[in-house]
Amino acid sequence: MMHQTIKGSGVAAVKDPYLCLEGINKKYGLIEVISNLNLEVRKGELIALLGPSGCGKTTTLRMIAGLITPTAGRIAVGGRDVTRIAPHGRDMGLVFQSYALFPHMTVARNVAFGLEMRGLSRAEIGAKVTRALGMVQLEHLAGRKPRELSGGQQQRVALARALVIEPSILLLDEPLSNLDAKLRDEMRTQIRDIQQQLGITTVFVTHDQVEALSMCDRIVVMKGGLIEQVGTPHEIYEHPATPFVASFVGRTNRIKGVRNADGSIGIGSSLIRSASSVKPGDVMVMVRPHRIRIDWSGTERQGETANRIAASLSRITFVGDVIQYHFDVDGSEFIVEESTIKSQAGHHPGKQAVLSWAVEDTFVFGADQ
Ligand SMILES: Nc1ncnc2c1ncn2[C@@H]1O[C@H](COP(=O)(O)OP(=O)(O)OP(=O)(O)O)[C@@H](O)[C@H]1O
Ligand SMILES: [Mg+2]
């Protein structure tokens, strides 16, 4: 089995893979939008394709669905090569970002459509449609037309329509992006519950890191047609393989530093330590804002495992749930976040403090990464 040729540390090969993408390339004319993509997904796994706009998420999803043919490479499901198989022969359920419901049909007919195409009996169709609408809690709206539904309800019809054919793989392209924050939260939980109940292998496209972190078994972080890293939400967040992953998933400070021959890292006139191994020379140091502690008196006792650095407060920003303290350290800006419940009045720009954080929370990357 092929292993991932990726920049990051995550290896995308898994035991007993169900969906396999091997050496996938996609060119539009001369422009390569997907380059040598290798990915394996386990049966029953919910995997997110996460990345900024234009990185190739939809293209990848559509190649899995068979709506786009790869320029090179192979796609297999359960050991069967489907690379040249038409979409209807692949047994996949697809939910697009725009719901793409038939406007003139009722909710029930929209959901029944795929079953009618497959020539099932009326009785079978009726039972399956009722079950699928039950899953998304829409039985009571079966007789409505799409225009008589809210965005969230339409999205649930689209989901029921994809689930009703009992596909072997469920493909979701930004299914929640048109919903407001509260509905998005509810739908996340609902999709995850249904996915786990049915044990359905699912590929979920999103550019929202919270969605990817909170719903998925593993995340594939993509950038410019390449995979940057594949890993569990915890691995991606706590051990980002590249500076891009560190700043795309979660927030982080980016501070220029220099790694010395003895392994220490200089930031201005201070020295810190990190568990990352990088070559001596210019480096980028990253620390998440909420992992930094502020010692306003500069006298708190610290363990051996903490980095400590003297800093001067330059600005305070109130952001509701959190308060952000902007510090200057020899010309570099450190942002520190605290829950507002802990925030104290009486700190003014110019105030001196000592910032500290765990060595293991210090990500260091070479300047060329
Ligand atoms: N039919 C096409 N012809 C030429 N280029 C295309 C075509 N479809 C997509 N692209 C290009 O391929 C790249 C990847 O597009 P894709 O739709 O996969 O991105 P995406 O990650 O889904 O982005 P978004 O988050 O904005 O939906 C983009 O640069 C896009 O402009
Ligand atoms: Mg897209």
Side-chain angles (χ1 to χ4, degrees), residues 127-307:
K128 283 179 192 282
V129 167
T130 304
R131 191 162 155 257
L133 286 176
M135 268 185 233
V136 298
Q137 289 150 29
L138 279 182
E139 304 101 313
H140 60 297
L141 299 180
R144 292 238 187 123
K145 298 274 175 62
R147 65 167 183 277
E148 298 160 344
L149 301 175
S150 72
Q153 289 165 341
Q154 290 182 53
Q155 195 54 274
R156 272 146 56 196
V157 177
L159 186 60
R161 193 175 55 172
L163 289 170
V164 78
I165 59 164
E166 294 161 34
S168 55
I169 295 179
L170 182 62
L171 304 172
L172 306 172
D173 193 352
E174 310 235 15
L176 310 181
S177 57
N178 289 339
L179 310 180
D180 65 40
K182 189 165 171 289
L183 245 179
R184 217 163 40 221
D185 266 359
E186 285 172 22
M187 283 293 291
R188 272 181 202 150
T189 316
Q190 210 167 37
I191 289 178
R192 181 56 162 165
D193 285 352
I194 294 172
Q195 183 268 333
Q196 288 191 319
Q197 258 170 39
L198 302 180
I200 188 167
T201 311
T202 304
V203 183
F204 185 99
V205 164
T206 180
H207 61 261
D208 180 336
Q209 43 137 338
V210 175
E211 225 158 79
L213 288 169
S214 61
M215 289 176 66
C216 300
D217 296 305
R218 284 190 304 152
I219 300 174
V220 179
V221 184
M222 296 177 68
K223 181 191 168 200
L226 289 166
I227 294 180
E228 288 266 315
Q229 188 173 4
V230 181
T232 62
H234 187 265
E235 284 164 355
I236 297 276
Y237 188 83
E238 297 294 351
H239 306 287
T242 67
F244 173 78
V245 175
S247 48
F248 193 76
V249 183
R251 277 158 305 167
T252 184
N253 287 291
R254 303 166 65 97
I255 295 132
K256 284 189 179 144
V258 178
R259 184 185 181 278
N260 304 310
D262 67 357
S264 66
I265 293 147
I267 296 175
S269 55
S270 307
L271 285 180
I272 61 155
R273 287 177 297 144
S274 160
S276 316
S277 55
V278 285
K279 289 196 300 261
D282 288 343
V283 292
M284 177 71 74
V285 178
M286 296 189 164
V287 193
R288 303 216 183 268
H290 69 281
R291 294 279 169 91
I292 303 177
R293 296 206 355 208
I294 308 169
D295 174 3
W296 294 107
S297 65
T299 57
E300 278 178 30
R301 291 174 71 91
Q302 300 290 331
E304 278 292 292
T305 55
N307 282 318

Side-chain angles (χ1 to χ4, degrees), residues 28 33 52-59 174 207:
Y28 286 112
V33 297
S53 185
C55 72
K57 305 179 296 290
T58 296
T59 305
E174 310 235 15
H207 61 261

Side-chain angles (χ1 to χ4, degrees), residues 307-325:
N307 282 318
R308 285 168 69 76
I309 207 162
S312 162
L313 183 63
S314 51
R315 190 153 56 95
I316 300 175
T317 317
F318 175 74
V319 220
D321 295 352
V322 295
I323 190 155
Q324 291 182 335
Y325 296 98

